[in-house]
């Protein structure tokens, strides 16, 4: 994954946080704790929610453009 510019948007910050958590686990020996897995899962759930909202907003905007064009 390439560098993502930080525009102060929560989605970018969440993706960077997820990357940091995963990289920290990759550079370590030993078992992964339940707490660490829960952190990654919570961040991933928030990312998914943001992406679903963005997709819904895009669909609504597309529908509105079609109505205006018609």
């Amino acid at each position: 994954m390439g560098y993502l510019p930080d525009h102060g948007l929560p989605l970018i910050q969440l993706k960077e946080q997820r990357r940091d958590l995963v990289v920290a686990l990759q550079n370590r020996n030993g078992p992964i704790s339940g707490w660490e897995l829960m952190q990654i899962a919570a961040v991933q759930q928030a990312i998914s929610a943001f992406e679903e909202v963005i997709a819904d907003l895009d669909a609504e905007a597309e529908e509105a453009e079609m109505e205006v064009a018609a």
Side-chain angles (χ1 to χ4, degrees):
M1 181 170 153
Y3 170 76
L4 299 173
D6 183 0
H7 300 291
L9 300 173
L11 182 56
I12 298 299
Q13 292 171 350
L14 286 169
K15 287 183 176 185
E16 289 174 349
Q17 182 181 2
R18 176 187 61 192
R19 181 196 63 222
D20 292 344
L21 289 168
V22 170
V23 167
L25 293 177
Q26 289 175 339
N27 296 331
R28 200 181 75 177
N29 293 328
I32 299 170
S33 73
W35 171 248
E36 290 164 322
L37 287 176
M38 286 178 15
Q39 284 182 302
I40 294 170
V43 171
Q44 181 58 49
Q45 186 175 18
I47 289 169
S48 296
F50 266 104
E51 289 174 340
E52 286 181 31
V53 169
I54 290 168
D56 288 346
L57 291 172
D58 285 345
E60 288 176 14
E62 195 172 299
E63 285 179 24
E65 286 178 16
M66 291 179 150
E67 289 176 5
V68 169

